[in-house]
């Protein structure tokens, strides 16, 4: 790179900086920014929730959708889903289930929802490897904003506010009710959307109840804001949003989903 | 009984009455009493909740108890139960279920509970008759005080705040998710006990979530007080209490229960 | 417009009406109506709330409006108010206060509100007469729907859920903090509007906090529905609504108001 | 006591210690600890709350205590208070007020409280100096655990979740309703104590409403845990606790208090 170019670039940067500062001086004072955090600052490991072995359930006799539900996946296709980056949802449908495709990124429902009862089943593959968060990591997001963690916590410990059924990095589950890899786990979720004030803060925060395999994990838990990997939850105004399923991109084998339906409340 | 004894008793009663009246005169003024009501005054019929056909479930592959649950009925005996009038619970155990015995009155758990997740299954017999409230009427009471209605509402309408899954005479269910007579209905109930002020009123009222056959009926509903047949709910201070099952004494065939377990929260 | 066109239109209307009626006949069965009640059925007298003498306050040194408040009455005119029957608010302004005009009926703010902090001062005249509800009866309605009772309860008992500071016929005040006739009573009210579901029921019910003369009367009380004179509260979908002041039409001398302001939240 | 007995006892203690250590080794693994944070990580500066000039109030005609209140300071002495380090409260009483004594540390009520309405008045001295948190910093703690910030925010900005009327480092106030140094600020606080589960977490979290100079700052705000200077709120089981006033030890002139009363709810 030539010197003359570098100088031009320097001038350009200076100009941009000048306008940016000038604008911010007109618009608002400069305030200290919140000091940056590290992920491990919002992770705590004790007390680990009690391990509860869920009741038996016939793995092939699952609860099908009530008559007023919108069926989001019935074993055949991903027509109700799209890529979160746009375009079709390119996860793999096979044998009545679909499986995360790491290369395709997150997928989300085409429809947007506010208040609902959601049923979703997921399975960790038997050949899973890794540990802590690096073992069967996915997640289901309410309104595209608030993650209920999906993870293989069967004989695999992690920070408790990042465990399966946690409101991620906020609220640990009341129990560890995992079925082992190769068996289907069921989430029954009751979600109430937030109501916002005009200034973008919550008048009424979102709440969530989560039942895994018949065991209560979240009991009308208040969600404090977005479920951030780093730092505190954030409160951002939003409208109805999709159900998002996370492609976490871990090196080990991907997890699968089946029997997804939603009832609007 | 001899006459002389009766006279003594009469005198004793008169004496007690005198002191009781005298004491109440000292303690409190006479205030107007709340005007008496009729049952139909707290019954409303519209709008009827939408009818939702629940998902299929294998009637013989029900969800068994999680490992930390107290099993209240496992198909064998009523050792966890007693008559609400005292003495053993004399309902009929047969074929892995138990059936209401009208002559024996209500039964209740020997244990007392406060906050919990309760699973209970009930079946209306195929030869049920009657209509409205007179058809398969029973109920499950939280802390012995607050009734979640059990009733055959399959093609049988009644006042909506007395329908299956209602907080009786308070809060109608969000849906009618009945299975038909001869099939098992499942209630999954999440209950939070009230917290009382010293004056006996609620500091925090009780709340309840009810799911019938996988369909949400009550969504963290606030319970306003006791579930009275006549008049307004009453707020009465109480401690931990039993799960009570109601023997309603209708003329038609009695209903049955199975697979009852509870997880304290 | 020609006659022939009018006839066509008439026929069209008749046809529509026929189908509409027919459809409604198919859709809506006749259900039993809720049995009518008497007012005294929703009135209870015990326990009477404790009598609390409020702190002294200079009657001429009241708290004026914060800078972001909308002043609803500043002692001069009723320009922010109108008759609830339409037309100008014809209550009597004099000496920096205004006084109920029985013939003019209720008045209400021209503006409509949802969530707010309301300050309002009211005075029972020294020559008040009558007793129970017939003594200085008025009321202030949130969103035109939910009444916080105004009444002279200074040495005047009534049913407690109709006492000054009650959510009328729902929630009695925590105390009786009345100043005597001729002195100004202050209500500071924090009100949160309900959020409705599409079916017209509450997703989030309204709540209210009431402080009278510095004494807490309602502590984030849930409002169950409209504050009916007869029978149970009703839940009706509504938008932002006015502050309404009630002209109760009692035979005795009318009450006065001053220093009314509101801060939207 | 004889030597031989002491030896027996020593052995017994050693035995107990061995089993205790052994048991804890079985029970408790070593988990990663939460990464340490810096104070600035939990401080955010925007958006600054709107500045609201409170209504005028006669500075010498304050609201005195209702008849059922416990008067915690009536202008004469600190008999209701003690040092948080033990011993008498050695702040300075003069002219009907008391003033922070930096050397004496925090003071707290001898009585312990749970649910209450608290009235407290505080004044920043006219010769205050410093800025941000270093200007008139004190605080009033609910149950000795949860701080409502006291600070001179009159023309002095700081991080908004540390501003006067904030739940410290949790919830910023809805407005900046400061009176200027030399004038009395009034806090009216309605506080509800938490209810704990047996495991030490909240069944019901604490909530607080704060009104400063007649302006609502906190509207039934949920308190998430202790108000930590560094890091996330902590949830610790506790009983009834004192009202604590903080001696922050800033270099500038100390603040004063007067007219403190509390009504238990």
């Amino acid at each position: 790179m030539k010197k003359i170019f570098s100088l031009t670039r320097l001038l350009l940067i200076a100009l941009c900086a000048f306008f940016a500062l000038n604008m911010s001086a007109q618009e608002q004072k400069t305030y200290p920014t919140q000091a940056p955090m590290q992920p491990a600052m919002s992770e705590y490991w004790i007390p680990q929730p009690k391990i509860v072995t869920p009741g038996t359930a016939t793995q092939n006799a699952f609860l099908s959708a009530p008559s007023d539900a919108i069926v989001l996946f019935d074993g055949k296709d991903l027509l109700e889903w799209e890529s979160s980056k746009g375009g079709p949802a390119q996860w793999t449908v096979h044998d009545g289930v679909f499986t995360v495709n790491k290369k395709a990124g997150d997928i989300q429902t085409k429809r947007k929802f506010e208040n609902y009862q959601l049923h979703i089943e997921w399975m960790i593959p038997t050949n899973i490897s890794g540990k802590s968060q690096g073992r069967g990591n996915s997640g289901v997001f309410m309104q595209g904003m608030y993650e209920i963690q999906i993870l293989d916590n069967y004989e695999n410990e992690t920070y408790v506010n990042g465990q399966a059924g946690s409101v991620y990095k906020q609220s640990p589950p009341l129990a560890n009710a995992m079925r082992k890899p190769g068996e289907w786990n069921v989430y029954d979720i009751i979600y109430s959307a937030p109501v916002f004030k005009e200034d973008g803060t919550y008048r009424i925060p979102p709440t969530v109840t989560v039942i895994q395999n018949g065991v209560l994990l979240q009991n009308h838990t208040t969600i404090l804001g977005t479920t951030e990997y780093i730092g505190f939850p954030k409160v951002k105004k939003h409208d109805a949003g999709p159900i998002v399923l996370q492609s976490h991109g871990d090196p080990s084998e991907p997890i699968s989903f089946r029997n997804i339906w939603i009832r609007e409340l």
Side-chain angles (χ1 to χ4, degrees), chain A residues 71-79 92-98:
Chain A
V71 175
L72 295 174
F73 180 67
D74 66 354
K76 298 197 188 96
D77 57 57
L78 289 172
L79 291 179
T92 316
V93 181
H94 61 101
D95 307 312
V97 311
F98 66 81

Side-chain angles (χ1 to χ4, degrees), chain A residues 163-183:
Chain A
Q163 187 156 338
S166 62
V167 179
Y168 184 65
K169 292 232 174 166
Q170 287 185 32
S171 180
L174 296 170
N176 177 337
M178 288 295 299
R179 292 213 175 99
K180 64 184 174 196
E183 294 184 358

Side-chain angles (χ1 to χ4, degrees), chain A residues 38-154:
Chain A
Q38 300 301 320
M41 291 171 177
S42 52
E43 297 167 3
Y44 60 96
W45 288 68
I46 48 175
Q48 290 280 323
K50 66 174 168 181
I51 293 170
V52 176
T53 308
T56 56
T58 308
Q59 291 287 316
N60 297 316
F62 53 80
L63 185 70
S64 60
S67 60
D68 66 341
I70 296 165
V71 175
L72 295 174
F73 180 67
D74 66 354
K76 298 197 188 96
D77 57 57
L78 289 172
L79 291 179
E80 286 283 345
W81 300 81
E82 62 188 7
S83 169
S84 293
K85 296 179 290 194
Q90 294 183 315
W91 290 15
T92 316
V93 181
H94 61 101
D95 307 312
V97 311
F98 66 81
T99 298
V100 175
N101 172 1
K102 280 182 255 186
K103 293 175 193 158
D106 297 350
I107 65 169
Q108 62 187 44
T109 55
K110 292 175 182 169
R111 301 182 203 238
K112 294 181 175 170
F113 302 100
E114 290 190 282
N115 303 276
Y116 50 81
Q117 176 185 0
L118 172 68
H119 179 98
I120 184 166
E121 306 189 12
W122 49 279
M123 188 186 67
I124 304 292
T126 49
N127 57 352
I128 192 76
S129 63
K131 62 176 190 167
S132 188
Q133 295 285 309
R135 185 179 173 91
N137 195 326
S138 181
V140 51
F141 287 75
M142 312 294 110
Q143 296 193 288
M145 307 291 279
Y146 312 112
E147 183 184 13
I148 303 300
Q149 177 70 310
I150 289 177
L151 190 70
D152 179 22
N153 280 115
Y154 186 81

Side-chain angles (χ1 to χ4, degrees), chain A residues 163-204:
Chain A
Q163 187 156 338
S166 62
V167 179
Y168 184 65
K169 292 232 174 166
Q170 287 185 32
S171 180
L174 296 170
N176 177 337
M178 288 295 299
R179 292 213 175 99
K180 64 184 174 196
E183 294 184 358
W184 287 94
N185 284 280
V186 180
Y187 275 175
D188 285 293
I189 296 175
I190 302 164
Y191 174 74
S192 295
V195 178
F196 288 94
K197 291 197 273 194
E198 278 179 26
D199 69 2
T201 60
Y202 294 142
R203 184 175 300 288
I204 312 285

